[in-house]
Amino acid sequence: MASEIDSGEPDWDTPLALTITPGLIMHALMGTASTVHTGWSSCIDDTLVLSNQVAMDDQAGNYVRLVEQEFVEEDQPDTLWHDWTLEIRVGSVLTTAHWQFPATAHPSEWDWNAREASRAFERACVLIGRRVRRTLTVEEPAQAEDVPRASRH
């Protein structure tokens, strides 16, 4: 055995084992989230999903998922909420973080929450040996409410 260790570098496919807990994942990746929790099943309602990105570990069934969704709470029917949800499945345990705010929030809130959730997703993909590349998105201008035109008399 000693001759194998001394004979060179470890093989790139040498299995590595770490002990990781939901608490450690939350601490390392989800510190800026509005809320975090664990579970056995997903809290995402697929009928509310606006976008969905998934990175899979094909051998073990683990995955990292970033979902953008909008919803209305029963106790606040007049408020539409926007949510980025990071879901990490390791074994049978889901560790989930939400970055949420009212959909009417200032665009800087949208940018901050999107950036924080995306960074957490990018870092979490390392857990399953995946790499994330960023892309550009072009957004159409938001329709402003009709503003009366000023007229000169």
Side-chain angles (χ1 to χ4, degrees), residues 39-116:
W40 303 112
S41 60
S42 178
C43 64
I44 296 168
D45 180 345
D46 289 326
T47 64
L48 305 175
V49 171
L50 302 173
S51 69
N52 184 28
Q53 298 175 341
V54 180
M56 296 285 302
D57 170 4
D58 297 329
Q59 293 178 347
N62 302 319
Y63 66 83
V64 177
R65 180 180 183 195
L66 179 61
V67 173
E68 192 174 349
Q69 58 187 348
E70 288 187 341
F71 61 92
V72 175
E73 294 282 359
E74 289 179 15
D75 60 340
Q76 298 176 340
D78 297 333
T79 304
L80 179 65
W81 289 88
H82 197 90
D83 173 65
W84 279 268
T85 302
L86 175 63
E87 189 175 76
I88 302 170
R89 178 176 293 282
V90 178
S92 61
V93 177
L94 283 168
T95 306
T96 306
H98 298 273
W99 286 263
Q100 299 173 333
F101 58 93
T104 57
H106 190 272
S108 65
E109 287 239 35
W110 283 74
D111 291 343
W112 186 86
N113 282 282
R115 186 173 50 252
E116 291 297 306

Side-chain angles (χ1 to χ4, degrees), residues 103 105 107 110 138-146:
W110 283 74
V138 176
E139 294 181 351
E140 295 296 323
Q143 284 290 344
E145 294 180 22
D146 289 337

